[in-house]
Amino acid sequence: MTEGVATGEGRAEVRAYLGTYTTWPGGGRGIGLGSYDPATGRLRATGVVEGVPNPSFVIDAGRYLYAVDEQADGAVTALAVGPDGVPEVINSQPTGGADPCHLALHRGFLLSANYSSGSVAVHPVRPDGGLGERTDLVEHSGSGPDPERQEGPHAHQVLPDPSGEFVLAVDLGTDSVHGYRLGDDGRLALVSTARLHPGAGPRHLAFHPSGRYAYIANELDSTVVVAGYRRGVLSPGPKLSTLPEGAPTSPRNYPAEVVVSADGRFAYLSNRGHDSVAVFAVERGGAALRLVEATPVGGRYPRHITLDRAGRFLLAANQNSGDVTSFAVDRTTGKLRQVGSLEVPIPVCVALKG
């Protein structure tokens, strides 16, 4: 499989990489390989890259691919993408923490969020795409009111801001988001800490294209918070339910991923439990969200969602039903219409080429 391969109908497909768990019953054997049709939004499986344990989060970096090894002795793995589109492992490096679950590339370094140990690791990226020895490990501290999920820090996401000057780390266990500046030496310096309401359990955030606002998905109380943003500092504002009025309270709902359309008009959030994708209209230039609808995801426990490059389709990785569903996006209303489904063993992440 190569990037830009034509289908039988003359359309060009692009590569897709699928994250999974390899140690869970019914899980995958490594990083799943797929081919995505940007004309129809449909995905097809093409193979698997074995030898990467629990690659629950994967990011595409052109000629290279990076994956977490989500396990007690956490690690990150670098892969080189060959001419045939099939990645081969270059090397792995320990993160110094437990259960890394998210990655980001920033200024020549790979950053990873260690969930169970509540820390952020930094590794330099070598010229060959491989990873050097860790240059920093920042450990969070604190707890929250949920005794089962917030007994200590749980770093769940790390990402650079739109300016590329700062890095944010979202911590579910401490109801906080930390802002850092990454030095040329690969060390993180704390510049801010934003506190959310107690018991929120912030999991992921996404920026509005203006860079002045961020939307924080809270896993533990089914809310999304609109936060102002300026130079590494978040200012959390009002919270909004991710569920429509009157939605059942059982099973418990756990929001996961949040993404924003490239034009900044809509935001989307996956609801695990309610098994839907919440569609929000972005209002007041990014300062407010309004729930439009919660579209049934066509599967169970949607974890990771992503918009394709053109913003025409949304893909949802449904962990508990073993499928990835595809949706056409109405560019006027933001609403979703299911157009496809692909069976995948415990899909928890979808990364599209480009």
Side-chain angles (χ1 to χ4, degrees):
M1 178 181 61
T2 59
E3 184 179 3
V5 169
T7 69
E9 299 177 359
R11 293 187 297 265
E13 294 186 335
V14 296
R15 292 195 293 267
Y17 306 106
L18 307 172
T20 184
Y21 287 102
T22 59
T23 60
W24 292 15
R29 294 180 289 116
I31 298 172
L33 300 178
S35 196
Y36 170 74
D37 186 342
T40 66
R42 290 183 171 85
L43 188 68
R44 61 187 178 90
T46 60
V48 65
V49 178
E50 299 186 21
V52 184
N54 287 346
S56 63
F57 194 79
V58 180
I59 57 174
D60 166 65
R63 296 166 51 202
Y64 305 105
L65 191 70
Y66 299 94
V68 300
D69 305 348
E70 189 176 338
Q71 49 193 351
D73 293 325
V76 283
T77 295
L79 305 96
V81 180
D84 60 354
V86 177
E88 294 185 356
V89 172
I90 302 173
N91 75 328
S92 297
Q93 289 281 3
T95 63
D99 299 311
C101 61
H102 196 269
L103 295 171
L105 286 166
H106 181 55
R107 299 183 60 198
F109 295 90
L110 183 74
L111 296 93
S112 53
N114 294 307
Y115 176 80
S116 293
S117 52
S119 59
V120 177
V122 184
H123 290 85
V125 177
R126 304 183 320 210
D128 68 348
L131 299 171
E133 293 185 1
R134 190 176 66 247
T135 56
D136 203 2
L137 181 67
V138 174
E139 298 183 350
H140 298 165
S141 62
S143 60
D146 188 319
E148 295 182 357
R149 298 294 308 281
Q150 295 185 310
E151 79 295 342
H154 292 302
H156 219 311
Q157 183 192 35
V158 58
L159 76 163
D161 74 352
S163 74
E165 186 176 356
F166 301 96
V167 173
L168 299 183
V170 183
D171 196 297
L172 180 148
T174 61
D175 291 323
S176 59
V177 181
H178 303 286
Y180 295 98
R181 182 179 279 111
L182 180 64
D184 294 338
D185 59 356
R187 298 187 65 83
L188 292 166
L190 183 67
V191 297
S192 69
T193 297
R195 303 293 182 185
L196 282 88
H197 54 277
R203 177 188 172 97
H204 279 195
L205 68 79
F207 282 98
H208 185 267
S210 69
R212 296 189 297 129
Y213 302 98
Y215 311 119
I216 306 168
N218 297 313
E219 178 173 331
L220 299 185
D221 71 348
S222 290
T223 63
V224 59
V225 164
V226 179
Y229 182 76
R230 185 175 183 274
R231 294 189 56 77
V233 180
L234 281 170
S235 301
K239 61 183 179 181
L240 176 69
S241 176
T242 69
L243 300 174
E245 187 175 353
T249 57
S250 181
R252 185 175 175 180
N253 186 62
Y254 300 94
E257 188 69 62
V258 56
V259 296
V260 182
S261 62
D263 60 10
R265 297 182 58 213
F266 302 102
Y268 301 89
L269 182 149
S270 56
N271 281 312
R272 298 172 298 172
H274 191 253
D275 293 341
S276 64
V277 177
V279 180
F280 293 94
V282 178
E283 299 179 335
R284 293 169 45 201
L289 296 177
R290 174 176 55 83
L291 182 63
V292 175
E293 67 176 14
T295 305
V297 78
R300 299 195 310 277
Y301 223 63
R303 180 157 160 169
H304 184 255
I305 58 175
T306 188
L307 289 164
D308 71 2
R309 187 172 186 178
R312 295 182 56 198
F313 296 97
L314 180 144
L315 281 69
N318 302 310
Q319 175 180 317
N320 290 359
S321 54
D323 50 31
V324 176
T325 44
S326 304
F327 297 84
V329 177
D330 187 314
R331 306 294 287 276
T332 301
T333 65
K335 294 182 178 182
L336 304 174
R337 174 178 56 85
Q338 187 173 342
V339 295
S341 180
L342 172 69
E343 291 188 6
V344 178
I346 311 184
V348 290
C349 175
V350 181
L352 297 178
K353 181 70 179 176

